[in-house]
Amino acid sequence: MFWDTTYEDLDKKIRQLESRINSTHSWLGSTRLDWGPVFELTKEIQADFSNNVRYPTKEQRETAWQKFCSLRTDAHERSQKSKQSRSDYLMIEINQELRAADFDMMMDGLGDIITFNLMKTTKDGMKEKWRRLRNAGQLLSKYKGELTHEHKNEVFERIKAIRKEHDAFWGRMHQAHEEQQRQWEQKQREFEARKSNAKDRIRANIDKNKEQLRKAEDALARQKQNREKIRDQISSAYSDTFRNRAEGWLDEANAKIDDIEDSIRRIEGWIEEGRDKLNSF
């Protein structure tokens, strides 16, 4: 059922508007305020005045109108202040994440970090900073409807600047890793070259000892042949004098054979030692 709005109804709505304005508040912006019902009521009251609700006197209508205008202005001002207050309150939480995520390469002294362990510690710290930066971005998305335009721009620009610093850090980290890898590969090449040269020297020494062994074995064979010849001479000696002289030759031949056999055993030991060294690489 519809009926015309009376001035008593309109005055009642104005009192309701004042009550809603006064009851819509938050301590330091700690809670989100819904000003929708207040402005819905102002539209309704504005429509009633536009429909020329009749008051007993012109002065009463003007008084009601002025009170309404004052309340409407007050509502707009309070809603703006409450939005600013709410935005300031939310920025406290966002700024905590941004401060934790912030990174200054010069202050951190990244250029002085030269050991892997220190870089690893810094890497772990930067992973935590990245997590905090991500949190700040999520809070921006969560509160974007409650933040002022200025605060949204401020947070966006700070996130962009911090992310740039993070990217620079990871770029330096990547360069440092590549330099470490390059140095390691260079050392490996130098090590392999030294190892190859050492193996070549060992092989050359083994070949040299094999040649000495061959000559020693040839010399041993000749001395044994000579010893048999001397033994034959002793067996067929025609006089004691010659036999005594030949026996002296035999003693000399046996001594040479012993020396050569000692040399052969020593050379064979050197060859075996060289082979062991090759197998150890």
Side-chain angles (χ1 to χ4, degrees), residues 179-220:
E179 178 61 19
Q180 286 182 339
Q181 183 67 21
R182 187 194 66 77
Q183 292 179 3
W184 181 84
E185 290 175 354
Q186 178 64 25
K187 289 180 180 178
Q188 282 296 109
R189 287 192 293 270
E190 293 172 356
F191 171 74
E192 291 298 330
R194 289 194 300 271
K195 186 169 73 171
S196 178
N197 291 337
K199 290 171 75 172
D200 289 342
R201 288 194 298 271
I202 292 171
R203 290 191 186 98
N205 198 45
I206 290 174
D207 291 341
K208 178 182 176 182
N209 287 330
K210 283 182 177 180
E211 179 61 20
Q212 288 182 342
L213 178 62
R214 184 189 65 77
K215 290 179 179 179
E217 289 174 340
D218 289 346
L220 178 63

Side-chain angles (χ1 to χ4, degrees), residues 165-177:
E165 288 293 332
H166 284 205
D167 290 344
F169 169 85
W170 291 116
R172 289 288 296 273
M173 180 67 70
H174 180 69
Q175 289 177 356
H177 176 74

